[in-house]
Amino acid sequence: MKYCTICKARYEDGVSFCPTDGEVLEDDPSSLVDTVLDGQYKIESLLGKGGMGAVYLARHILLGDRVAIKILPREVQNNAEWLRRFRREGQAARRFRHANAVTVYDLRTASDGTIYMVMEYVEGHTLDAELKQRVRFTPAEALEVLEPIMSGLNTAHAMGVVHRDLKPENIMIGKSSGGNESSVKLLDLCIAKMREIAGVESSGTTELTMAGQVLGTPYYMSPEQWGELSRDGNFEIDGRADIYSLGLVAYQMISGKRVFASNTLHELRREHLYAKPPALCEVMPGVSPAFSDAIERAISKDRVDRQATAGQLAEELRAAIRQPIPALEGRTLPAIPHPEDAAAPPQAAR
C-alpha cells in the first residue's frame, strides 16, 4: 500500500500520484502491521521510520520473543550501495556486544526479497522524549544518563566502530531486566564506519553519501563530518566525531536547548565550523567550571583538541561533579524555550 503524506489517503501500489492533491505517494509502513514476516515474525506495531528503513515491534511466532525489526525500504532493495550500507550495519552491530548498546540478532532476506534486521527490543522512551518532558537536567543527572553511553562508545571505538549519528533520539532510557532500575542503551549503529571488524576491506572512501545527502543529524554533526579537515590532516572519521556529538547532547541536556539550531543546512554547517557557544558555566548556574571545561573541550572545532576517548571524557566529567561550585552571585536561570518552539529539523539521511 501507498499513502499521501498530505491528505493521508491510501492507495494500491500501482498508483504513483495522489488524485486529490497530486502529491507523490510513498510506501505506507503501517500496512505491514498485523502481517507475518518471513513466516516467523508477527508484526505488532510501527516503532519508527528513518533513512535506513522502518522499525517494527514484532513477536516470534514459535518462541514468543518480542524483538525490533528494521526493514530496508523496498525502493532501495536493488540498489547496490544501499545494500552495502545495510550489510555493514548488520556486520558491525552483530559482532559488537555491550550492555549499553542494542543487540543485533540476525540479518535476513525473506522469500519475497524483503531484507530485514532482527534486533533487541528495548521498552522505554528516548532521551529526546525525556528532554521534551523535563526540558533540562542537572550536570549530575546528565552524567547518569550519558555515562553508560560513553562506556559503550569507548568499547565500540576500540573495536573500530564509530556511531556517526549520536543524538537524543538514539539514546534509549528503558527498564532493566528486573524492571526496577533504568537501563540506558545506544540505538542505531546504521552509519557505523567499519575498519577490520566486519571483515570487509576498506575501499578508501572516507565519507559514504547517498544522493548528495550527509550521513548524520546536522544538529550534532562534527566539523569533520561536514568535510572540514582537521589539523592532523586525516580525512578518516574516528571516535572523536562521536565525542563532539555527545558534548552537544550534554550541553543541550543541561541548558535546555540545542547548541546549534539554524533552519538550513548551510547555516548549520557555518555554526558547527565557526560559531563558539558560551561556556556552559556562564549561562547555567550550578555548573562547575571543570564540568563546563570538559564539555567545551569535547565540542572543540578541531578533533585534535577534544578528548582522545569517550572514557577520558567520562573521567573528566566524573571528577568535575565532585568539585565545588562557585557562588551563583545572584545570577538567574535563562528563559527556557517551549519544546514546540524548536525549529523543524533540516532534511538529512539517517
Side-chain angles (χ1 to χ4, degrees):
M1 295 290 291
K2 292 184 177 181
Y3 80 111
C4 175
T5 57
I6 295 180
C7 67
K8 309 303 180 185
R10 288 174 168 77
Y11 302 93
E12 295 298 326
D13 289 338
V15 182
S16 300
F17 299 91
C18 178
T20 302
D21 49 48
E23 183 70 12
V24 176
L25 300 179
E26 297 183 7
D27 284 336
D28 179 11
S30 64
S31 62
L32 289 179
V33 175
D34 292 329
T35 65
V36 175
L37 174 65
D38 205 15
Q40 300 184 67
Y41 296 99
K42 176 67 177 295
I43 305 296
E44 295 185 345
S45 64
L46 175 67
L47 296 176
K49 183 181 179 182
M52 278 296 288
V55 180
Y56 300 87
L57 171 62
R59 175 178 53 83
H60 194 286
I61 295 175
L62 295 180
L63 302 178
D65 296 337
R66 299 182 85 194
V67 296
I69 289 182
K70 178 184 286 188
I71 297 180
L72 194 69
R74 182 177 57 180
E75 62 269 20
V76 299
Q77 288 181 7
N78 293 322
N79 184 307
E81 191 59 43
W82 275 85
L83 292 177
R84 290 188 188 101
R85 262 183 77 187
F86 198 69
R87 184 182 66 177
R88 287 192 186 103
E89 174 186 359
Q91 291 173 324
R94 182 69 179 86
R95 299 188 185 192
F96 178 68
R97 289 288 184 273
H98 193 279
N100 299 113
V102 168
T103 301
V104 171
Y105 300 131
D106 203 359
L107 178 62
R108 300 176 60 89
T109 302
S111 58
D112 64 356
T114 299
I115 302 173
Y116 66 97
M117 181 181 292
V118 184
M119 303 175 290
E120 172 189 8
Y121 170 64
V122 180
E123 186 174 2
H125 58 277
T126 65
L127 176 58
D128 181 59
E130 184 80 1
L131 276 168
K132 289 176 181 176
Q133 180 179 358
R134 293 177 54 170
V135 181
R136 60 187 176 195
F137 293 65
T138 66
E141 291 169 340
L143 181 59
E144 183 179 0
V145 172
L146 296 181
E147 192 165 15
I149 299 301
M150 287 184 279
S151 175
L153 287 175
N154 209 44
T155 301
H157 295 165
M159 298 173 67
V161 179
V162 183
H163 190 286
R164 290 179 167 236
D165 195 22
L166 269 175
K167 56 186 176 180
E169 295 92 328
N170 276 338
I171 296 174
M172 177 67 75
I173 303 175
K175 295 181 179 179
S176 63
S177 56
N180 296 322
E181 299 180 354
S182 63
S183 174
V184 182
K185 296 217 175 197
L186 180 61
L187 304 178
D188 203 356
L189 288 169
C190 69
I191 305 173
K193 172 76 176 185
M194 297 307 300
R195 295 194 182 108
E196 289 79 23
I197 177 125
V200 179
E201 293 185 2
S202 172
S203 65
T205 302
T206 59
E207 188 85 18
L208 180 62
T209 59
M210 289 299 300
Q213 292 180 308
V214 293
L215 294 183
T217 300
Y219 292 128
Y220 306 95
M221 281 173 52
S222 65
E224 58 267 30
Q225 287 176 280
W226 290 99
E228 188 74 359
L229 182 62
S230 172
R231 293 200 308 272
D232 60 22
N234 189 347
F235 281 102
E236 188 75 15
I237 303 300
D238 63 22
R240 289 170 292 182
D242 289 342
I243 290 174
Y244 177 88
S245 301
L246 197 66
L248 293 182
V249 170
Y251 195 114
Q252 178 181 348
M253 292 175 70
I254 296 168
S255 69
K257 57 183 179 181
R258 293 191 187 105
V259 181
F260 304 124
S262 293
N263 294 324
T264 69
L265 288 175
H266 176 75
E267 292 171 343
L268 275 171
R269 183 181 187 276
R270 180 184 54 80
E271 286 188 317
H272 282 287
L273 266 56
Y274 306 114
K276 183 178 180 180
L280 195 52
C281 62
E282 295 178 1
V283 297
M284 294 303 300
V287 178
S288 71
F291 194 98
S292 180
D293 288 346
I295 297 300
E296 184 173 356
R297 185 179 172 194
I299 61 176
S300 297
K301 303 300 184 183
D302 196 305
R303 64 183 179 187
V304 172
D305 300 320
R306 300 174 205 150
Q307 291 84 353
T309 67
Q312 183 180 348
L313 174 59
E315 290 175 3
E316 291 182 10
L317 294 177
R318 280 195 300 266
I321 288 293
R322 296 191 291 266
Q323 294 189 15
I325 301 171
L328 299 182
E329 301 179 353
R331 286 182 292 169
T332 58
L333 293 175
I336 305 173
H338 192 278
E340 293 181 357
D341 293 338
Q347 296 299 311
R350 288 188 63 202

